[in-house]
Amino acid sequence: MRFHVIDAFTDRPFAGNPAGVCLLPAGDWPQDDWMQQVAAELGFSESAFALPLPASSEADWEIRWFTPLVETNLCGHATLATTHVLRTEHGLTGAVRFRSRRSGTLVAHADEDGTVTLDFPAAPGIETPVPRGLAEALGQKPDTAFRTGALGDLLTVLPDEQAVRAAVPDLDALAGLIRREGLRGVIITAPAARPDQGYDFVSRFFSPAEGIPEDPVTGSAHTALAPYWSARLGRDGLTGLQVSARTGRVRTALHGDRVHLSGHAVTVLDGTLHL
């Protein structure tokens, strides 16, 4: 069974966010524990497994995402990576529909120039008191915090870009806070220091309780970042820069209760999984 390693939300290798992608043969899903073991073996923040659906289905593929520790509800970069594989290996152009178990039907669109656009549900935040211990766990004092509903993240706004870049979280303390608050992860964000550099806001994402100390580029987090920054900056179309060590750019466009997330991807490895 072939698998692929794809760097997503980047146009060059060894940047953006790496994801494992495994396109399964038609039929039944493999055992969950096998997919979890594959994800743990690969060690990326997420690996995607996609199963082709019958022509009569409401979607083309069913997709599932696994971190090294757990199955997760939604992953943007691994969905983009899967669409990239369908484009480069199977000649996909145009739209592909992914059925997910916990996030409904997701549509991705592959352009001939390699751009992939994801159509995801928006996750607008609801302001909440800054949780006890968050400033100490982040090493930075947040201005405000927002719950993101079903997404399960805490969107935390810091004073400026430098604060986001300088944050050195205590990951053990942050994992304990995430478990206590019933979260998936914590997003930190701030406005771009120099918007003339081609991005409007910066972010980082931490999910140590799910085996992801820091995610390099988090598509799903931008379903919350896009509505927040679109409201604050007064524009529906924005570009986010995730300032992890690898960095990556996500172009966002708000369309009512949906968010379009666009970026490129690069194949860095093809291999074979031996069952």
Side-chain angles (χ1 to χ4, degrees):
M1 185 182 301
R2 293 188 69 201
F3 79 99
H4 313 269
V5 176
I6 310 297
D7 288 344
F9 290 115
T10 182
D11 57 5
R12 58 187 176 88
F14 313 123
N17 201 351
V21 175
C22 182
L23 300 182
L24 299 165
D28 296 328
W29 280 98
Q31 293 293 319
D32 288 5
D33 61 352
W34 179 82
M35 291 187 285
Q36 187 64 75
Q37 288 171 332
V38 170
E41 184 80 4
L42 294 174
F44 302 124
S45 58
E46 274 95 5
S47 292
F49 298 83
L51 186 77
L53 296 174
S56 58
S57 300
E58 76 282 3
D60 305 301
W61 296 77
E62 186 169 6
I63 191 167
R64 296 171 69 181
W65 309 277
F66 289 79
T67 79
L69 294 182
V70 298
E71 183 173 4
T72 192
N73 293 345
L74 182 66
C75 179
H77 84 276
T79 305
L80 188 149
T82 303
T83 307
H84 170 79
V85 171
L86 289 171
R87 186 185 72 83
T88 56
E89 299 289 322
H90 295 265
L92 170 72
T93 55
V96 59
R97 300 164 298 169
F98 294 106
R99 183 174 73 194
S100 69
R101 297 188 171 190
R102 303 175 188 178
S103 298
T105 298
L106 308 169
V107 179
H109 192 281
D111 291 337
E112 291 185 0
D113 69 355
T115 302
V116 174
T117 299
L118 309 175
D119 182 343
F120 276 15
I126 298 173
E127 190 167 358
T128 187
V130 174
R132 170 176 49 86
L134 181 61
E136 293 77 9
L138 290 176
Q140 296 286 344
K141 185 177 179 181
D143 289 338
T144 51
F146 300 83
R147 291 269 185 172
T148 60
L151 183 63
D153 295 336
L154 186 74
L155 174 63
T156 305
V157 182
L158 300 188
D160 52 42
E161 179 176 328
Q162 180 55 33
V164 173
R165 290 180 178 272
V168 183
D170 179 332
L171 293 173
D172 289 337
L174 196 59
L177 183 148
I178 285 169
R179 293 188 185 100
R180 186 191 78 212
E181 298 291 329
L183 301 169
R184 178 185 74 151
V186 172
I187 307 163
I188 60 175
T189 189
R194 292 187 57 190
D196 62 335
Q197 296 299 301
Y199 59 93
D200 302 289
F201 60 89
V202 296
S203 67
R204 291 170 70 189
F205 180 81
F206 307 96
S207 186
E210 291 195 348
I212 307 170
E214 179 171 0
D215 195 34
V217 192
T218 316
S220 58
H222 285 75
T223 65
L225 288 161
Y228 173 79
W229 286 110
S230 288
R232 180 164 163 177
L233 299 177
R235 287 185 285 127
D236 289 338
L238 301 170
T239 298
L241 177 68
Q242 196 151 330
V243 290
S244 65
R246 293 172 64 100
T247 73
R249 292 177 187 252
V250 183
R251 298 195 305 277
T252 69
L254 196 62
H255 296 272
D257 63 354
R258 308 292 295 184
V259 176
H260 291 181
L261 309 173
S262 299
H264 285 79
V266 179
T267 302
V268 294
L269 189 150
D270 293 319
T272 301
L273 285 173
H274 296 279
L275 298 179

